Structure formats: C-alpha cells, structure tokens
Amino acid sequence: MKVLLAGGAGYIGSHTAIEIAKLGHEIVIADDFSNSKPEAVNRIRTIIGADFPFYEIDIADKEKLRALFAAEKPEAVIHFAGYKAVGESVRKPVAYYRNNLDTTLTLLEVMKEYGCRNLIFSSSATVYGAPDEVPIKETAAVGRCTNPYGWTKYMIEVILKDVAVADPDISVVLLRYFNPVGAHESGLIGEDPQGIPNNLMPYISQVAIGKLACLSVFGNDYPTKDGTGVRDYIHVVDLARGHACAIDYAAAHKGVEVFNLGTSVGYSVLDMVNAFETANGVKVPYKIAPRREGDIAECFADATKSRELLGWKAEKTLVDMCRDSWNWQSKNPNGYDA
Ligand code: UFG
C-alpha cells in the first residue's frame, strides 16, 4: 500500500517509516521540521537503502497537502503530525489546540477529497488520565486529562469517532501509545529532544553521557513498589511494527477501532536507572526530587486486544531498550546536529 506518514521525520514516524518500508509498503513522508531534522530523512533513506518522496510542508497547509495528494495518491495516512511536549502545552495551549486539531481536520478534508479512506492516528495513554485500575484496557474511562496536549489527543479521538459514524467507508485506527523509548539498532535514528529533555529515558541518556549532571527522580512516595512512578516503557521499533499491523487492520475493516500499544509490564523510575546502568556499564547519578505536577503513580497497558485483533505484541526487552537508547545517544551526542 502507498502510505503517507504525516510528521514522519519525528521520533516515532522515522522508526515507523523503516518498519513499513521493510514490509513492502511504498512510503511518502511529509514534515515541516518543527520538531525534527532533515538529517533524519537522510538516515531513513540510508537504512532503507532506497529513495522515497519527501515533502517539507505543514500538514495544516491545505493547498500544499492537496498538491501532495494529487501527486502521490496515498491509500493510507499515519498521522504523527502534532506537538507533544506536556509542559509546553500548559504554557502555550492555543498553539497546541490550533496545531494538533488543524493538522487533523485538514488531513480529513483532503483525504475525503482524494478518496483516501484509511487513517491511523498517534494517540496516547494520556487519554486515560489517572486510571481507576491497571493494567488499562481500551474500554477504561477516557478524559480527565491533566494538560492541553492530552486534551488534544482526546479531542482528536472524539473527532475521528464522529467522522467514522458519518462516513461508513472510512477506516480509522486509534493507537494509544504508552512510553516509547529506545532507538533503531543501527544507532542512525533515535529520539532528538530539543533542549533539556522532559522524558525519563532521554534524560537518563544525557546524564550518562555527561551532558546533564544528575537525574531528578520526581517523587519516591507514590504507592508503588519502590515509591517511584511506574510506566509501560515500549521499544520504539515494537511500536513502529504496531503501525504496520494497524495498516493491515484498517485495510480489512471499516469503522473505528482503538488499540493500546504497550508491553503490559510496568517498571519504576529506579528500575529504569538500574537497568540502564547494568545494560551499558555506565553510571547515572540521581537524586530524589519532589513529585512533578500532573504525574500519576502507575500506568501500564493491557495489550490483549492488540495481540488478538492486530496480531501484534511487543517483543523487545528492557535490556534492548536501554542498550539501543545508549547506542543512539553515544553515537550521536548532539542528536542529528553534527
Ligand atoms: N521522571 C523522572 N525524572 C525525569 C523525567 C521523568 O523521575 O527527569 C519520571 C516521571 O515522574 C514518571 C516517569 O519518569 O514517573 C516517566 O516520565 P516521562 O516524562 O518519561 O513520561 P510520562 O509517563 O510522564 O509521559 C509520557 C509521554 C506523554 C504521554 C504519556 C502517556 O511523555 O507524551 O507518556 O502515558 F502522554
């Protein structure tokens, strides 16, 4: 199938491009580099060993998106094009609502115009807010988000469900990601956060390489096994493979379906620090700091539905996640910048 990856130069998009190209799909990437780098596109080409069309456009630019659809005629779209920093979304809510909703609405309008009926959306476990119980099933309550970023994911899910009701020919797959970490095993592509990282794994990597002095562990008084927050860390290559399964699912089904992409296993912050040190033979100095506002104690998936309906499950281990994160960080201490 010919697949457009909207926002495909970013962390998850770049890994997905490789996994789906490997399966024989034709790929087209569109990205405005607002949170990614042109070098990522070069490296995707190196890993795949082939060229593909790339468009430097803002997905919310309707005329440019139309031109892309007219030229490429994609049969499916994977929609990664959105802002994703939780803290920034609190400071710039209008920019987040504008960008994340506009890209989605523009894609929907142009897809309809050009008869493209398959859409895979990058949603997030953040739509569950503070869950009533773990592991979290897809049927758990959604909403109760704690920041504008989370609300954009929630709102886009609502929009896509409405679209699927109104248009019986469309297929929509909502993928709720848990905590993506790791990198492609080549060390050529990986997560390249702007400025000081917000997320745990890039922060640990930058402490290990000496760019940052010390990890702050946000809270050790949660009701978890060691008091630190527990999350479902998933290797980004496993997550990328989930998108390939979602393309097949969308092609075979109409309507809207939602899937958790997680491992179903929760690890604490201290588990992650220890695993990273052991896997890579490095030191990660840390100190206990106050809780971070908006954080929850525990969040991990019940991924049974993805196994049963998508035929997908996470295969990589915690050691793989730590080793591949470090491989990327140590080979690219400044990310994609030379
Ligand atoms: N943490 C620290 N120190 C840090 C960074 C994080 O102790 O410097 C802790 C957090 O308190 C939390 C855990 O590490 O317990 C994971 O934090 P992340 O920031 O890596 O990830 P979150 O679970 O907060 O958020 C992630 C994504 C969101 C997404 C959410 C879905 O960043 O985009 O998962 O559950 F919405």
Side-chain angles (χ1 to χ4, degrees):
M1 203 181 285
K2 189 161 190 178
V3 183
L4 168 64
L5 295 94
Y11 175 45
I12 301 172
S14 56
H15 289 83
T16 301
I18 288 159
E19 294 310 306
I20 66 174
K22 222 158 76 179
L23 293 171
H25 293 293
E26 267 181 86
I27 61 167
V28 178
I29 295 184
D31 204 298
D32 66 356
F33 298 128
S34 55
N35 192 23
S36 59
K37 300 274 169 59
E39 180 60 15
V41 180
N42 298 336
R43 298 202 186 171
I44 297 168
R45 291 193 170 112
T46 303
I47 294 169
I48 295 174
D51 203 1
F52 54 80
F54 174 80
Y55 291 75
E56 186 176 344
I57 59 167
D58 175 353
I59 299 300
D61 184 330
K62 199 168 184 178
E63 284 318 310
K64 290 188 178 153
L65 191 63
R66 276 194 178 121
L68 182 158
F69 270 74
E72 304 293 344
K73 303 184 177 55
E75 298 159 274
V77 175
I78 312 182
H79 176 22
F80 302 101
Y83 296 158
K84 62 169 188 179
V86 171
E88 185 183 57
S89 79
V90 175
R91 295 190 302 275
K92 301 180 182 172
V94 177
Y96 269 68
Y97 288 115
R98 168 68 76 191
N99 182 64
N100 292 5
L101 298 180
D102 258 8
T103 51
T104 306
L105 297 171
T106 308
L107 262 175
L108 286 166
E109 286 170 349
V110 176
M111 284 176 68
K112 191 169 177 67
E113 249 176 71
Y114 287 86
C116 178
R117 319 309 287 142
N118 301 300
L119 179 62
I120 320 292
F121 175 61
S122 281
S123 190
S124 166
T126 199
V127 300
Y128 296 117
D132 293 324
E133 56 179 7
V134 283
I136 308 171
K137 285 190 166 63
E138 289 84 349
T139 48
V142 291
R144 302 182 289 192
C145 299
T146 54
N147 56 74
Y149 157 76
W151 282 117
T152 67
K153 294 294 180 190
Y154 172 84
M155 288 175 188
I156 293 168
E157 286 201 1
V158 171
I159 291 169
L160 294 177
K161 286 174 186 165
D162 286 344
V163 168
V165 169
D167 181 351
D169 290 328
I170 200 166
S171 303
V172 176
V173 178
L174 308 175
L175 298 178
R176 292 180 182 155
Y177 308 152
F178 282 68
N179 289 59
V181 295
H184 190 262
E185 62 179 9
S186 64
L188 284 172
I189 60 166
E191 187 169 12
D192 183 17
Q194 293 177 354
I196 295 175
N198 299 305
N199 297 116
L200 181 64
M201 192 57 121
Y203 206 106
I204 288 179
S205 304
Q206 293 197 12
V207 170
I209 207 158
K211 287 181 83 173
L212 297 169
C214 178
L215 170 74
S216 292
V217 174
F218 297 141
N220 67 347
D221 57 352
Y222 285 106
T224 60
K225 60 175 185 171
D226 60 18
T228 67
V230 166
R231 297 288 183 276
D232 185 336
Y233 297 94
I234 175 167
H235 196 294
V236 66
V237 172
D238 277 333
L239 194 75
R241 285 193 304 101
H243 294 74
C245 299
I247 293 171
D248 294 343
Y249 187 89
H253 299 83
K254 299 287 176 213
V256 58
E257 205 60 69
V258 50
F259 296 102
N260 284 338
L261 294 184
T263 63
S264 308
V265 180
Y267 290 110
S268 73
V269 177
L270 295 182
D271 286 337
M272 298 305 285
V273 171
N274 292 332
F276 195 91
E277 289 187 333
T278 308
N280 300 316
V282 292
K283 279 276 159 223
V284 181
Y286 71 86
K287 61 172 194 280
I288 304 299
R291 290 182 178 193
R292 183 172 66 179
E293 205 182 330
D295 270 357
I296 53 176
E298 258 190 318
C299 174
F300 56 96
D302 180 327
T304 311
K305 184 178 174 189
S306 298
R307 193 180 65 235
E308 290 179 353
L309 298 191
L310 289 181
W312 171 90
K313 76 181 194 10
E315 283 164 5
K316 294 196 180 264
T317 64
L318 182 57
V319 172
D320 297 329
M321 300 181 209
C322 293
R323 189 201 53 226
D324 293 340
S325 290
W326 180 237
N327 185 41
W328 156 254
Q329 177 69 64
S330 47
K331 286 183 175 156
N332 307 271
N334 300 315
Y336 290 111
D337 292 333

